[in-house]
Amino acid sequence: MNRLYFNFLIVFAALAVAGCSRKQTPRQQPESVDTIPMLVMQVQKCSRLYTAEYKMHKIITHDDEIRMKGKFLNQDYDVALPMGSRKIAIPIDATVKAYIDLSSFSEKNVRRVGDKIDVTLPDPRIEMTSSRINHGEIRKYVALTRQNFSDKEMAGYEQQGRQAIINDIPQTGIMEMAKESAARVMVPFFVGMGFNEKDITISFRKDFSDNEIKKMIVTASDAERK
């Protein structure tokens, strides 16, 4: 029987890319970019904009036992043997990051009317960049009559832990956090390009359901295969 207990620590970081900021001298007035192609080119230079990071911790537990079942004097019995149980608790740590891939930004993402600019940013992406078992904190009990947990079993439990973390990611709010952080980074960027803050609107294509978010998540191994 597998039972999953969830326990997580959230760490939020708005990570501005150095290429997405322009320094102005105190008396320098930035000039507004005249053409959409020039604006698009400047945004694309930002490349990958990381906007949120979560540290997640999950404990995978597994216990099994040898049971004796049968019938005696017309009575069914099901008894756990006292020396036939195994139990284990495996802590797994993972890092999940959200980012905006601005290299895909194009003129389709921009609508400009006079001094006003409406920017639709690309969909946030979510990647589990690392996951590992904390071997120093594994707790287990193996009865004398049972074999120890094998490497294959341990690998299976680790996979269960990664999948459980992926299933829980939508409930962390990382998608909304990624959107809000991206907007906070990009508004000053467009101000630095000559637009007034009140004339800038940052939006996204849509809101995603929990199931859609799960399908968007990639792991480090997935990214390496691409």
Side-chain angles (χ1 to χ4, degrees), residues 126-138:
I126 302 174
E127 181 179 352
M128 182 187 294
T129 58
S130 66
S131 65
R132 68 179 185 87
I133 291 178
N134 190 338
H135 291 276
E137 295 184 8
I138 292 177

Side-chain angles (χ1 to χ4, degrees), residues 12-18 48-53 97-98 181 185:
F12 169 69
L15 304 175
V17 175
R48 183 175 291 192
L49 177 67
Y50 283 94
T51 54
E53 178 178 315
K97 295 182 180 181
S181 180
V185 172

Side-chain angles (χ1 to χ4, degrees), residues 10 17 32 69 72 84 91 131 133 137 145 169 176 184:
I10 300 176
V17 175
S32 178
K69 299 180 182 181
F72 180 72
S131 65
I133 291 178
E137 295 184 8
T145 58
I169 286 174
E176 290 306 311
R184 285 197 294 268

Side-chain angles (χ1 to χ4, degrees), residues 85-104:
S85 65
R86 295 191 311 170
K87 299 180 180 181
I88 192 168
I90 307 171
I92 296 179
D93 297 311
T95 299
V96 179
K97 295 182 180 181
Y99 65 92
I100 309 293
D101 184 3
L102 294 173
S103 64
S104 63

Side-chain angles (χ1 to χ4, degrees), residues 22-36:
R22 289 186 170 187
K23 294 182 179 180
Q24 304 291 336
T25 58
R27 294 185 180 181
Q28 182 180 4
Q29 179 64 33
E31 296 181 0
S32 178
V33 173
D34 292 330
T35 65
I36 297 300

Side-chain angles (χ1 to χ4, degrees), residues 4-221:
L4 303 180
Y5 296 90
F6 181 56
N7 177 8
F8 67 87
L9 168 67
I10 300 176
V11 176
F12 169 69
L15 304 175
V17 175
C20 290
S21 63
R22 289 186 170 187
K23 294 182 179 180
Q24 304 291 336
T25 58
R27 294 185 180 181
Q28 182 180 4
Q29 179 64 33
E31 296 181 0
S32 178
V33 173
D34 292 330
T35 65
I36 297 300
M38 178 65 71
L39 183 148
V40 169
M41 183 179 69
Q42 294 299 319
V43 172
Q44 288 177 343
K45 288 181 180 179
C46 297
S47 186
R48 183 175 291 192
L49 177 67
Y50 283 94
T51 54
E53 178 178 315
Y54 278 60
K55 300 291 186 182
M56 303 184 72
H57 180 73
K58 183 174 285 292
I59 298 176
I60 307 301
T61 64
H62 174 83
D63 62 85
D64 60 47
E65 55 190 5
I66 297 177
R67 305 187 68 87
M68 182 178 293
K69 299 180 182 181
K71 180 176 288 188
F72 180 72
L73 298 177
N74 293 324
Q75 295 291 325
D76 293 330
Y77 63 87
D78 184 353
V79 180
L81 297 181
M83 297 297 291
S85 65
R86 295 191 311 170
K87 299 180 180 181
I88 192 168
I90 307 171
I92 296 179
D93 297 311
T95 299
V96 179
K97 295 182 180 181
Y99 65 92
I100 309 293
D101 184 3
L102 294 173
S103 64
S104 63
F105 192 84
S106 71
E107 294 184 31
K108 295 179 180 179
N109 296 90
V110 183
R111 186 169 66 89
R112 182 177 180 180
V113 180
D115 293 333
K116 297 184 181 297
I117 183 171
D118 190 339
V119 179
T120 302
L121 292 178
D123 296 338
R125 299 186 183 184
I126 302 174
E127 181 179 352
M128 182 187 294
T129 58
S130 66
S131 65
R132 68 179 185 87
I133 291 178
N134 190 338
H135 291 276
E137 295 184 8
I138 292 177
R139 297 292 180 267
K140 63 182 177 180
Y141 166 78
V142 180
L144 293 175
T145 58
R146 300 294 305 275
Q147 290 185 339
N148 200 359
F149 293 93
S150 67
D151 291 342
K152 182 178 180 179
E153 287 175 313
M154 295 291 287
Y157 300 148
E158 183 177 10
Q159 179 59 41
Q160 290 177 29
R162 283 197 299 268
Q163 187 58 52
I165 289 174
I166 288 173
N167 292 340
D168 287 321
I169 286 174
Q171 281 73 53
T172 64
I174 191 172
M175 183 64 75
E176 290 306 311
M177 190 176 292
K179 291 180 179 180
E180 293 173 7
S181 180
R184 285 197 294 268
V185 172
M186 295 308 295
V187 167
F189 172 74
F190 287 111
V191 169
M193 297 180 71
F195 295 95
N196 290 319
E197 184 172 343
K198 63 182 179 62
D199 295 327
I200 303 168
T201 301
I202 304 291
S203 59
F204 288 85
R205 182 173 63 89
K206 60 173 289 185
D207 292 326
F208 293 91
S209 67
D210 286 357
N211 285 333
E212 288 175 321
I213 293 174
K214 288 179 187 178
K215 293 177 181 179
M216 294 168 62
I217 299 168
V218 298
T219 64
S221 57

